[in-house]
Amino acid sequence: MADGPTSGGQRGETLLYLTDEQLRKGIEAMFFAYKGFTSDPDRILESRGYGRAHHRAIHFIHRSHGTTVNNLLAILGVTKQSLNRVLRTLIEDGLVESRVGTRDKRERHLYLTAEGALLERELSDVQQARMRDAFRSAGPAAVAGFRTVLEEMMDPEMRRRYQRLSENGL
Amino acid sequence: MADGPTSGGQRGETLLYLTDEQLRKGIEAMFFAYKGFTSDPDRILESRGYGRAHHRAIHFIHRSHGTTVNNLLAILGVTKQSLNRVLRTLIEDGLVESRVGTRDKRERHLYLTAEGALLERELSDVQQARMRDAFRSAGPAAVAGFRTVLEEMMDPEMRRRYQRLSENGL
DNA sequence: CGTTTTATGTCAGCCTTGTTGACATTGCCA
DNA sequence: TGGCAATGTCAACAAGGCTGACATAAAACG
């Protein structure tokens, strides 16, 4: 199953970065980094009785103001039952507003309230702070490489979604 | 809370990679990439009735043959009750062997059985395949940057653990 | 107009995986 | 011997995934 120049011998050249050892390091780096990546927001969320799922919803509602439930489902890749549970508490708590669509009245468009925007800011502040420190220490070239590798690691569908998010505001 | 050259204006120079927009992209890249990163093993695990927690245990037991429960707890960052539940099923299913320590008989040293090693191989094959493709597409310079940024993103404690793993086999 | 499809919400139940607290056992060590 | 450390286990709980089933409203279609 593992073909290529790894699994035993390398092809000499500059392919040393594709050895099993290097790949394993990459895997472990993802694991430990993701832990750090989520730890700061997790602390804030916990103090409010929310979880990571709430953070994700808040993030993408902020990101795409007025997005529909269906769109959010596609981005997050969870079931509507799962998302709805989270969304319901956020709406009840007054952090998210759900407006009936004007063109299509079946759709609900989601917005952060002022209070929701406040929490969003708090969460993204700590997460951005960590990322900024990491970026600053690593330098622009490393950051470019970081983003390139992450993009390559995404499923094609998710990658398209990610890139679409970057371009327009949707 | 967000100080530095972001949040509004940049300092001109080469600091454009530290804008809020770039940081947000980095955050979303982590989210989508981690999804891809775990998706292939998840499929295999599901078919066996295991979860990601089992994968993590298997990975680090493979990585550090004969490691103790306490060491594993520290690496994984979960409670012993949580780890124990996973470990118990793996031992019952004959994928992991737990041997009483020779020097210190309170400690249990954990090993993959032949069957456990087989599953480990299967899991790491698919995960490495994705990582290898991503690395190959991105190239060695990008890979170096990827690893640098991830290391910077880790909590100091986890970073030390990560680096210790890389050096010796423990 | 009637039918079908779409978007959403909701109820019920299940699973994994995290948590806390309590307690028992074993064995190292002073 | 007494204290502490490493481990295991029981019970209970919560978050957040999942499936299946069903309800409603509105759009779309023929």
Side-chain angles (χ1 to χ4, degrees):
Chain A
M1 182 161 265
D3 65 349
T6 67
S7 289
Q10 296 96 27
R11 274 214 210 87
E13 316 210 333
T14 334
L15 294 175
L16 294 172
Y17 72 109
L18 293 178
T19 59
D20 280 1
E21 171 67 11
Q22 295 301 309
L23 295 170
R24 199 188 32 64
K25 276 195 198 173
I27 288 170
E28 287 173 358
M30 279 295 283
F31 172 69
F32 288 119
Y34 201 78
K35 224 177 230 300
F37 171 69
T38 54
S39 61
D40 300 324
D42 279 354
R43 263 188 294 277
I44 294 172
L45 291 159
E46 192 196 17
S47 73
R48 300 242 199 167
Y50 293 138
R52 227 172 265 179
H54 299 83
H55 186 188
R56 292 195 282 261
I58 288 172
H59 175 96
F60 285 109
I61 292 173
H62 168 75
R63 185 78 180 75
S64 313
H65 245 260
T67 188
T68 64
V69 172
N70 245 7
N71 188 20
L72 207 51
L73 281 175
I75 286 176
L76 297 175
V78 297
T79 59
K80 66 174 175 174
Q81 293 92 331
S82 202
L83 174 59
N84 207 260
R85 181 168 34 198
V86 164
L87 230 38
R88 205 186 317 157
T89 73
L90 290 176
I91 291 170
E92 278 170 7
D93 295 352
L95 302 185
V96 167
E97 194 191 340
S98 167
R99 295 185 209 150
V100 173
T102 47
R103 251 187 26 209
D104 187 334
K105 291 181 185 171
R106 290 170 306 179
E107 294 179 340
R108 304 301 149 98
H109 296 269
L110 303 169
Y111 302 88
L112 292 186
T113 64
E115 199 188 336
L118 222 65
L119 177 55
E120 193 284 328
R121 197 62 239 153
E122 201 181 339
L123 292 169
S124 64
D125 271 349
V126 292
Q127 199 158 42
Q128 287 191 3
R130 183 182 287 255
M131 182 104 10
R132 182 163 42 240
D133 291 348
F135 277 15
R136 186 148 36 200
S137 300
V143 169
F146 162 76
R147 281 257 298 280
T148 302
V149 171
L150 289 190
E151 280 190 43
E152 293 292 339
M153 209 152 27
M154 298 175 195
D155 276 336
E157 170 109 18
M158 282 299 136
R159 190 171 166 186
R160 258 176 276 127
R161 250 181 254 289
Y162 165 77
Q163 290 169 340
R164 227 177 308 145
L165 273 175
S166 294
E167 292 158 13
N168 26 32
L170 189 108
Chain B
M1 183 161 267
D3 66 347
T6 66
S7 287
Q10 296 95 28
R11 273 216 210 86
E13 318 210 331
T14 334
L15 294 174
L16 293 172
Y17 73 108
L18 292 179
T19 59
D20 281 1
E21 170 69 11
Q22 295 301 308
L23 295 170
R24 199 187 32 65
K25 275 194 198 175
I27 288 170
E28 287 172 359
M30 279 295 283
F31 172 68
F32 288 120
Y34 200 78
K35 222 175 230 302
F37 171 69
T38 54
S39 61
D40 300 324
D42 279 353
R43 263 188 294 276
I44 295 172
L45 291 159
E46 192 196 19
S47 73
R48 300 242 199 167
Y50 293 139
R52 227 172 264 179
H54 298 83
H55 185 188
R56 292 195 280 260
I58 288 173
H59 175 95
F60 285 109
I61 292 172
H62 167 75
R63 185 79 181 71
S64 312
H65 246 262
T67 188
T68 63
V69 173
N70 243 10
N71 189 19
L72 207 50
L73 281 176
I75 287 177
L76 296 176
V78 297
T79 58
K80 66 174 174 175
Q81 293 90 332
S82 200
L83 174 60
N84 206 260
R85 181 167 36 198
V86 164
L87 230 39
R88 204 186 319 156
T89 73
L90 290 176
I91 291 170
E92 279 171 7
D93 295 354
L95 302 186
V96 167
E97 196 192 339
S98 166
R99 294 186 211 150
V100 173
T102 48
R103 250 188 23 208
D104 187 333
K105 292 183 184 170
R106 289 169 306 177
E107 294 180 341
R108 306 301 148 96
H109 296 269
L110 302 169
Y111 302 87
L112 291 186
T113 63
E115 199 188 337
L118 222 64
L119 176 56
E120 193 285 326
R121 198 62 240 152
E122 202 180 338
L123 291 169
S124 64
D125 270 349
V126 293
Q127 199 158 42
Q128 286 190 7
R130 182 183 288 256
M131 181 98 21
R132 182 162 42 242
D133 290 348
F135 277 15
R136 186 147 37 200
S137 300
V143 169
F146 163 77
R147 281 258 297 281
T148 301
V149 172
L150 289 190
E151 280 191 43
E152 294 291 339
M153 211 153 25
M154 297 174 196
D155 275 336
E157 170 110 17
M158 284 298 137
R159 190 170 167 187
R160 257 176 277 127
R161 249 181 254 289
Y162 164 76
Q163 290 169 340
R164 226 177 310 145
L165 274 174
S166 294
E167 291 157 14
N168 26 32
L170 190 106

